[in-house]
Amino acid sequence: MQNRTTKRAALAAVLLSATLVAVPLQADTTASAATVSAPVGNIKHFKQVFTQNFGKAAAAKGAMASTYAKSWQPYPDGMGGMYWSGSQVSVRNGSMDVALDGKHGAAGTFGTPSGAWGNVGGKFTVRARATGGTGNGAAFILWPTSNTWSEGEIDYPEANFESSPMLHHHSMRAGSEANAMSLSTNVSWRDWHTYSIEWVPGKSVKYRLDSKVIKIVKKDVPRTPHRYMFQVGNWGASGHLYIDYVTMYKYVA
């Protein structure tokens, strides 16, 4: 987001009231357009439980929340003085379109009204790109449903849109939660990419970029329920964050 300190302050206010390595990979080659369907089917210990391809248009102000009520739970408009998802988020041409205007951010949780809050392990995949929005950024987050930061925070992808998307795997030691193992993808928000988190509770978190593993972490691995969400700030230049699809899987031992 605008920077790590600003992003953390904003996130904490709403939810609770590093070594950088370049990994050169090519752009998502599945298609240049935002009309790629999400993968379908279980993957070893991950049982697919949620898929959203954004096939129903929701262009009118506030239509997103009602049209996708079973798939996306937005923050209330005006929450934290930052987020106005009702006016900023729509669905057009098969993608969620998050409008960036430098004044109104947007945020919400993926999943059903009841199921979005109970992810204990699983695989979480988003396909996204951004246009414009310099100075602004996005964070896709696995955040503790309890809002207890020491239960673990996973951010992937996260960065300003003029920068390379990154992962930040946070410490679970009380008082040190702001510390994180960080890794740059060395790709661009301007291209379509798929970002996946494969979380085995208490054991490991595997990070994938366009299906390729870029990092496996076996320390500070959450065990408690988390929600999968995103946040976009209310600063920077105008532009758009496009989300082609989201799919989630349950971990089955």
Side-chain angles (χ1 to χ4, degrees):
M1 302 286 286
Q2 188 176 28
N3 56 52
R4 292 293 296 163
T5 302
T6 301
K7 179 259 178 183
R8 171 52 42 218
L11 179 61
V14 172
L15 292 176
L16 298 175
S17 54
T19 299
L20 308 184
V21 180
V23 181
L25 289 175
Q26 300 300 312
D28 183 349
T29 57
T30 52
S32 60
T35 55
V36 178
S37 295
V40 176
N42 301 332
I43 304 172
K44 294 184 179 180
H45 291 288
F46 297 108
K47 179 181 178 182
Q48 195 168 37
V49 294
F50 174 89
T51 300
Q52 184 51 256
N53 284 296
F54 302 109
K56 295 182 179 179
K61 182 177 179 179
M64 177 70 189
S66 57
T67 303
Y68 289 89
K70 295 182 179 180
S71 299
W72 188 66
Q73 316 309 316
Y75 284 20
D77 284 352
M79 189 171 185
M82 292 182 63
Y83 303 112
W84 285 268
S85 299
S87 62
Q88 304 309 114
V89 183
S90 62
V91 170
R92 306 169 191 269
N93 302 318
S95 294
M96 177 188 277
D97 179 354
V98 184
L100 314 171
D101 65 3
K103 298 178 181 179
H104 304 88
T109 299
F110 294 108
T112 65
S114 59
W117 319 104
N119 300 296
V120 182
K123 179 171 181 174
F124 307 84
T125 300
V126 62
R127 184 171 188 259
R129 71 182 289 258
T131 61
T134 297
N136 199 346
F140 289 81
I141 308 166
L142 277 169
W143 178 262
T145 296
S146 68
N147 290 328
T148 301
W149 195 4
S150 60
E151 291 183 8
E153 175 189 356
I154 293 170
D155 305 327
Y156 181 64
E158 180 192 354
N160 273 21
F161 295 130
E162 70 273 19
S163 305
S164 293
M166 298 186 66
L167 71 85
H168 299 287
H169 189 106
H170 283 260
S171 170
M172 293 174 63
R173 187 165 65 90
S176 299
E177 297 94 339
N179 297 332
M181 187 291 299
S182 298
L183 181 75
S184 175
T185 61
N186 200 37
V187 298
S188 174
W189 279 107
R190 310 311 185 190
D191 301 316
W192 285 110
H193 290 284
T194 56
Y195 306 88
S196 296
I197 302 165
E198 297 179 0
W199 165 29
V200 179
K203 294 184 178 181
S204 66
V205 178
K206 184 180 294 184
Y207 296 89
R208 293 181 182 269
L209 174 66
D210 300 335
S211 298
K212 297 182 179 181
V213 177
I214 61 171
K215 188 68 178 178
I216 300 175
V217 179
K218 296 184 178 180
K219 181 181 179 181
D220 297 314
V221 178
R223 298 175 179 269
T224 59
H226 280 53
R227 56 189 184 269
Y228 184 54
M229 52 183 283
F230 82 90
Q231 293 180 330
V232 170
N234 59 341
W235 46 72
S238 62
H240 295 267
L241 170 66
Y242 297 107
I243 300 173
D244 183 15
Y245 67 73
V246 178
T247 184
M248 298 190 288
Y249 304 73
K250 179 181 178 180
Y251 174 72
V252 180

